[in-house]
Amino acid sequence: MIKKILSSSWIGIVLLFMYSPILILTGYSFLDTPTIGASGNFSFQNYITLFTTPELMEMIIGTLTLALQCAIISTILGTLGAIGAFYSKKGMRGFVSASNQIPVVNADVVTGFSICVLLIVVFGLNKDSFIPLITGHVVMATPFVYLSVIPKLKQMDYNLYEAALDLGANARQALIKITIPQIIPGIVSGFLLAVTLSLDDYFITTYTKPATFNTISTYVVNATRGSNTELKTALWALSTLIFAIILFAVLVSNITTNRKAGEKNGRNQI
Amino acid sequence: MRYHFSRKQLCIPYAVFLTCFVIAPLVVIFYYAFTNGEGRFSISNLTGFFTSGNTIGTLFYSILISVTTTCVCLLIAYPVSYILARSKIKKKAILLAIFIVPMWINFTLRILALKEVLSMLEGNLAYHPFLNTIIGMTYDYLPFMILPLYTTLMKLDNQLLEAAYDLGAGKLETFIRVTLPLSLPGIISGVTMVFLPAMTNYVILDMLYNNTFIMGSLIGSYFNAYDWHSGSMISIVLLMIILIITWATKGFTEKEPEREAIL
């Protein structure tokens, strides 16, 4: 009994530590005071500022556009790379899977800095072209797409591909109609992972971004240095919205996976 | 000659991409680390790093922060993962998801939230820079410790524990001699996921008003000063640390990377 109380209270304390800052910020995003701990009146002012300040909207749209572009490139590159490497000879497969590990274990600071040195210092590419920024994000995200596709390839039923060839499909048709559909879950989770990694990144972005462009991360860090309280409290509204969206997404995905698991169990019982 | 499509060719773009943007940048920073401003070979960057009290101090401060953060994360996360993995409640997955959700929120926004709460509690953040940094790092990296620990503890075979009890081991002895060794892969992979980022994530220090440098801040300041040679040398030192950690933990970690389990 004591054990149960102890363990539940530990879970409670850790959850309190993890969630109280976000929840307090959420609460204060609906008040008109710029100081946490002070009392204030209910107001949507922070949300109005968030959606009517061009600087903030540009930053949010810029971050989302960048994340989507990079995730699309990463998903294509990583999926093709995984399929190719999976069927390649040992040498090629070894090279791809080993170099794929580098950005995964490497510190983001080093990845960002090295890409900056290569593209901007050595090749003299203009930062304003967004090429270094997009390259950096793709380097960071593609390995995780690769890593989520590879296990699906390993689980795949090899006979189906052979059967398709026997039935007269050529290699390309068999790839599109047989292989890709079987690894779709891996591709989707790789894509989502790429989006979140890109949204969360600070270091690669700072080292490769155009001077006037900001993502949420770089904007927040600059804003904490500045003294504009109106923009600062608008960020509270932004973090509340992001928190709500993620909570909703997790809830939906949990319900759908539960339902799927339920269906599977039901089928097994039959 | 007719073009023949084969599945192997699909990895050519990615192989080229990896060569150009993963391998080549590393080669370039190696070159920069061992040359001076005039492009001649020089080890002054290397000797400069190891003879300057500032940089060595920074290295030790980073290691101190990393070790403390990792220990605190482990001490908080192990009981949490253990309780979650052993509990008999049905909706374990949802409970785990609650612990993992913060990982998906942009870390600068989370640190912003933490900063506001800490300033409310402490009044002035400048009084406890080290403590605040550890709290910030723990707050940021805790989910990365919980997830791999939970995954290994879930795989733990109940029969092994029962066998230990049958053979006369007490609860504590079973934990120390059975559970703990079996969860080592999870511990190692959690530690590697926390230790390294904690050495380089200088934004957390910046946002919480800790003016002391860690290894990452050195790269940041050399970047701002356009000193590519010294920055490359710091990157090389970090790469060496990464290499040592990867090599040292090679035998322990599981083959499948843990991070794919996130989604």
Side-chain angles (χ1 to χ4, degrees), chain B residues 19-255:
Chain B
T19 317
C20 293
F21 301 115
V22 174
I23 312 279
L26 294 184
V27 175
V28 167
I29 56 167
F30 254 101
Y31 173 78
Y32 267 81
F34 289 102
T35 50
N36 56 20
E38 289 133 26
R40 285 203 208 100
F41 175 78
S42 137
I43 53 162
S44 62
N45 300 315
L46 183 71
T47 50
F49 179 83
F50 283 104
T51 49
S52 156
N54 272 336
T55 44
I56 288 296
T58 303
L59 181 63
F60 278 110
Y61 190 70
S62 321
I63 292 174
L64 182 67
I65 292 218
S66 281
V67 170
T68 319
T69 306
T70 313
C71 291
V72 173
C73 280
L74 194 57
L75 287 177
I76 296 177
Y78 200 97
V80 169
S81 314
Y82 187 83
I83 295 165
L84 285 185
R86 311 297 299 164
S87 80
K88 291 186 183 75
I89 51 167
K90 271 184 186 170
K91 304 278 178 189
K92 253 192 253 187
I94 293 181
L95 205 52
L96 177 73
I98 294 174
F99 277 95
I100 301 304
V101 161
M103 204 151 82
W104 288 314
I105 305 173
N106 185 297
F107 84 97
T108 56
L109 285 173
R110 277 194 294 141
I111 298 295
L112 177 77
L114 183 74
K115 182 194 149 201
E116 302 290 350
V117 172
L118 284 178
S119 350
M120 176 185 76
L121 294 174
E122 293 175 13
N124 190 341
L125 284 175
Y127 292 140
H128 310 284
F130 185 77
L131 177 73
N132 291 336
T133 307
I134 298 299
I135 295 175
M137 294 268 181
T138 309
Y139 182 65
D140 194 13
Y141 294 121
L142 200 55
F144 292 95
M145 188 65 101
I146 293 177
L147 193 62
L149 282 174
Y150 175 82
T151 319
T152 34
L153 285 168
M154 274 299 279
K155 288 186 206 146
L156 196 67
D157 192 349
N158 239 335
Q159 292 177 332
L160 288 174
L161 300 182
E162 277 161 26
Y165 294 136
D166 288 347
L167 291 168
K171 285 209 157 158
L172 185 70
E173 204 184 354
T174 310
F175 177 76
I176 292 173
R177 295 179 63 176
V178 181
T179 312
L180 205 57
L182 284 175
S183 57
L184 206 57
I187 296 177
I188 300 275
S189 92
V191 166
T192 45
M193 275 164 92
V194 173
F195 189 85
L196 202 76
M199 266 189 108
T200 53
N201 195 334
Y202 59 91
V203 169
I204 294 180
L205 280 80
D206 274 4
M207 288 180 78
L208 297 175
Y209 301 135
N210 182 347
N211 294 326
T212 321
F213 270 19
I214 56 171
M215 292 300 279
S217 353
L218 281 178
I219 296 186
S221 73
Y222 287 132
F223 170 80
N224 290 330
Y226 303 107
D227 185 350
W228 313 114
H229 297 278
S230 308
S232 300
M233 185 41 86
I234 305 294
S235 306
I236 298 295
V237 172
L238 278 171
L239 275 174
M240 288 302 138
I241 295 171
I242 295 164
L243 216 64
I244 292 168
I245 295 175
T246 323
W247 176 78
T249 56
K250 210 177 170 189
F252 294 106
T253 40
E254 288 157 298
K255 284 254 163 65

Side-chain angles (χ1 to χ4, degrees), chain A residues 95-171:
Chain A
F95 169 75
V96 173
S97 68
S99 10
N100 186 70
Q101 256 341 82
I102 296 176
V104 177
V105 294
N106 203 348
D108 288 350
V109 187
V110 178
T111 308
F113 185 80
S114 64
I115 287 171
C116 161
V117 172
L118 178 80
L119 294 183
I120 297 164
V121 181
V122 176
F123 287 141
L125 274 178
N126 188 353
K127 279 184 180 184
D128 293 334
S129 67
F130 283 89
I131 294 172
L133 181 61
I134 291 177
T135 312
H137 278 233
V138 172
V139 167
M140 167 185 65
T142 315
F144 291 96
V145 176
Y146 178 92
L147 288 175
S148 34
V149 172
I150 282 284
K152 296 288 167 222
L153 284 165
K154 286 183 183 157
Q155 293 163 11
M156 203 170 56
D157 188 350
Y158 187 75
N159 296 326
L160 286 177
Y161 183 83
E162 294 293 311
L165 292 187
D166 287 347
L167 290 170
N170 62 31

